[in-house]
């Protein structure tokens, strides 16, 4: 507990942004996607990089990881301020995010900067920001951060690159896609939906060449445990919510249909199938913003890995190149 308090205080004390980043965020047009704003601001924070400074001054390579850790801690401290500034600029007429409280934890300071004072929402954010941090390093945002880091780019540049990957609809943006799809479903059929109507809507989605968002995963072959823990939170705090009940119904209907299709390796729901429902319940209805929350959490996972990359002295990454002759041999041409 003492360690958690000390860490929270350390992050709270470094949460302020340099003026050029605040000015930049305040002048972005409102049609610039929150994720583009997020990654641009992170790139601009590289003025603060101790790694870049140390490297240019010729620091010994055994010290890289220490500077990388320093930058990572500073970046994690500043990310909630960046994210909250974007939220206020886009959805709260540019009102102030208020002051950081050194006695609050990372999530509590974030929800208070966003302007949410429900302690249950803060508890949800603690869960959300923990479970989205990372779960094995091979996904696009984690791998991009690692790849860019292999060129010894500083942690700000590496993480900004990772966030550009997270912004893709097949990756982090999927949580926004889920909610759009469910909203369309409710608009077309209403709230009292039978299983047959659900099946019909799912088949319609699939036959029009689209995927059912929030289902399937590149490596998981079971229900995503991150789906399950959000479901448990919902069962405890919002068991009668209409949207939550609809998502629960989908759990019974979607997997058998995807299995029937025959091509799907994993018909089970992933983390994105549940997260938007919880956010909506607590009044965060701005779907475009959801991936920023994902990004905030992901920093914890991918920046920890980046520190290890530097500590282990991992080399620059480069996929193997092949000559035309080798390629011809490979395909028997
Ligand atoms: C993630 O957390 O990044 C997603 O589950 C995607 C993945 O792991 O490939």
């Amino acid at each position: 507990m003492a360690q958690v308090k000390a860490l929270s205080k350390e992050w709270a004390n470094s949460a302020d942004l340099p003026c050029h980043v605040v000015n930049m965020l305040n002048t972005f047009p409102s049609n610039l996607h929150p994720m583009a704003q997020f990654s641009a601001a992170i790139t601009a924070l590289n003025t603060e990089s101790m790694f870049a400074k140390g490297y240019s001054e010729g620091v010994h390579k055994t010290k890289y990881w220490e500077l990388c850790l320093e930058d990572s801690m500073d970046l994690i401290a500043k990310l909630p301020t960046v994210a909250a500034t974007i939220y206020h600029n886009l959805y709260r007429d540019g009102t102030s995010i208020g002051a950081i409280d050194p006695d609050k934890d990372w999530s509590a300071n974030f929800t208070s900067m966003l302007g949410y004072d429900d302690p249950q929402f803060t508890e949800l954010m603690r869960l959300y920001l923990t479970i989205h941090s990372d779960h094995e390093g091979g996904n696009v945002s984690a791998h991009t951060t690692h790849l860019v880091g292999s060129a010894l780019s500083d942690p700000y540049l590496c993480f900004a690159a990772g966030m550009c990957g997270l912004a893709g609809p097949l990756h982090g943006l999927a949580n926004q896609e889920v909610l759009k799809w469910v909203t369309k479903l409710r608009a077309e059929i209403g709230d009292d939906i039978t299983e047959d109507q659900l099946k019909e809507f799912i088949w319609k989605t699939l036959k029009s060449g689209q995927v059912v968002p929030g289902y399937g995963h590149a490596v998981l072959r079971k229900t995503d445990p991150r789906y399950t823990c959000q479901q448990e939170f919902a069962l405890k705090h919002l068991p009668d919510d209409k949207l939550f009940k609809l998502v629960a119904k989908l759990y019974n209907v979607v997997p058998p249909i995807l299995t029937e299709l025959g091509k799907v390796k994993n018909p089970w729901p992933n983390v994105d199938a549940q997260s938007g429902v919880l956010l909506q319940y607590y009044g965060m209805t701005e779907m475009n913003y959801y991936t920023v929350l994902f990004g905030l959490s992901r920093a914890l996972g991918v920046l920890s890995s980046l520190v290890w990359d530097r500590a282990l002295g991992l080399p620059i990454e480069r996929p193997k190149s092949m000559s035309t002759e080798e390629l011809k041999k490979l395909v028997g041409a």
Side-chain angles (χ1 to χ4, degrees), residues 131-142 166 170-172 216-220 224 226 270-272 294 298:
I131 63 175
H132 286 80
S133 59
D134 194 12
H135 66 136
E136 52 81 68
N139 62 75
V140 169
S141 50
L166 191 74
L170 291 187
H171 193 16
H217 195 273
V219 287
L220 295 175
D224 191 330
R226 300 168 298 176
N270 60 52
V271 66
D272 300 319
F294 195 155
R298 183 113 313 178

Side-chain angles (χ1 to χ4, degrees), residues 244-307:
F244 170 62
K245 284 184 157 173
L246 178 57
V247 166
K249 253 190 204 171
L250 284 168
Y251 188 80
N252 296 327
V253 179
V254 177
I257 294 184
L258 294 181
T259 307
E260 196 182 319
L261 268 183
K263 289 181 260 168
V264 180
K265 286 197 185 129
N266 170 21
W268 303 106
N270 60 52
V271 66
D272 300 319
Q274 194 75 256
S275 50
V277 172
L278 295 168
L279 296 170
Q280 291 272 314
Y281 178 80
Y282 291 100
M284 184 177 267
T285 53
E286 300 88 359
M287 302 178 206
N288 267 357
Y289 187 74
Y290 291 173
T291 314
V292 174
L293 302 176
F294 195 155
L296 188 54
S297 169
R298 183 113 313 178
L300 301 174
V302 303
L303 291 171
S304 312
S305 299
L306 196 65
V307 176

Side-chain angles (χ1 to χ4, degrees), residues 19-309:
C19 284
H20 72 278
V21 175
V22 179
N23 291 340
M24 179 178 163
L25 284 167
N26 290 347
T27 47
F28 277 146
S30 60
N31 62 351
L32 185 62
H33 193 280
M35 279 306 281
Q37 300 199 19
F38 194 52
S39 65
I42 294 163
T43 301
L45 276 170
N46 120 301
T47 47
E48 313 308 293
S49 177
M50 298 312 289
F51 182 89
K53 185 170 178 286
Y55 187 87
S56 73
E57 287 166 1
V59 73
H60 195 275
K61 60 185 176 187
T62 53
K63 298 277 174 210
Y64 288 169
W65 74 269
E66 290 176 25
L67 299 172
C68 183
L69 175 63
E70 207 175 317
D71 278 1
S72 299
M73 292 287 271
D74 208 41
L75 176 53
I76 291 168
K78 292 181 183 341
L79 286 176
T81 320
V82 173
T85 305
I86 294 170
Y87 190 75
H88 277 258
N89 282 348
L90 289 177
Y91 314 115
R92 297 290 182 271
D93 297 323
T95 46
S96 160
I97 57 170
I100 287 270
D101 179 346
D103 293 321
K104 281 188 184 165
D105 62 79
W106 196 58
S107 307
N109 261 317
F110 179 49
T111 53
S112 109
M113 282 193 284
L114 285 175
Y116 288 73
D117 53 16
D118 181 346
Q120 228 175 65
F121 181 70
T122 300
E123 201 45 35
L124 170 66
M125 227 9 90
R126 290 190 183 110
L127 174 74
Y128 187 104
L129 296 177
T130 304
I131 63 175
H132 286 80
S133 59
D134 194 12
H135 66 136
E136 52 81 68
N139 62 75
V140 169
S141 50
H143 183 63
T144 306
T145 307
H146 163 82
L147 171 69
V148 176
S150 82
L152 295 188
S153 304
D154 67 67
Y156 295 90
L157 301 181
C158 300
F159 186 60
M163 289 302 94
C164 290
L166 191 74
L170 291 187
H171 193 16
L173 208 75
N175 55 12
Q176 164 180 338
E177 299 297 307
V178 169
L179 214 55
K180 272 197 209 153
W181 185 78
V182 177
T183 308
K184 196 168 151 224
L185 166 65
R186 282 176 98 191
E188 263 186 46
I189 314 179
D191 276 328
D192 281 325
I193 307 174
T194 63
E195 282 210 357
D196 282 342
Q197 284 173 311
L198 264 187
K199 282 181 191 159
E200 203 181 313
F201 190 84
I202 293 159
W203 277 116
K204 201 169 94 182
T205 302
L206 294 169
K207 282 182 183 154
S208 67
Q210 287 162 30
V211 296
V212 178
Y215 277 76
H217 195 273
V219 287
L220 295 175
R221 293 293 171 259
K222 288 185 172 164
T223 298
D224 191 330
R226 300 168 298 176
Y227 172 94
T228 312
C229 69
Q230 292 181 97
Q231 183 190 37
E232 283 164 8
F233 184 96
L235 281 170
K236 187 166 165 200
H237 297 293
L238 46 135
D240 298 322
D241 179 61
K242 283 189 176 144
L243 209 51
F244 170 62
K245 284 184 157 173
L246 178 57
V247 166
K249 253 190 204 171
L250 284 168
Y251 188 80
N252 296 327
V253 179
V254 177
I257 294 184
L258 294 181
T259 307
E260 196 182 319
L261 268 183
K263 289 181 260 168
V264 180
K265 286 197 185 129
N266 170 21
W268 303 106
N270 60 52
V271 66
D272 300 319
Q274 194 75 256
S275 50
V277 172
L278 295 168
L279 296 170
Q280 291 272 314
Y281 178 80
Y282 291 100
M284 184 177 267
T285 53
E286 300 88 359
M287 302 178 206
N288 267 357
Y289 187 74
Y290 291 173
T291 314
V292 174
L293 302 176
F294 195 155
L296 188 54
S297 169
R298 183 113 313 178
L300 301 174
V302 303
L303 291 171
S304 312
S305 299
L306 196 65
V307 176
W308 274 107
D309 292 349

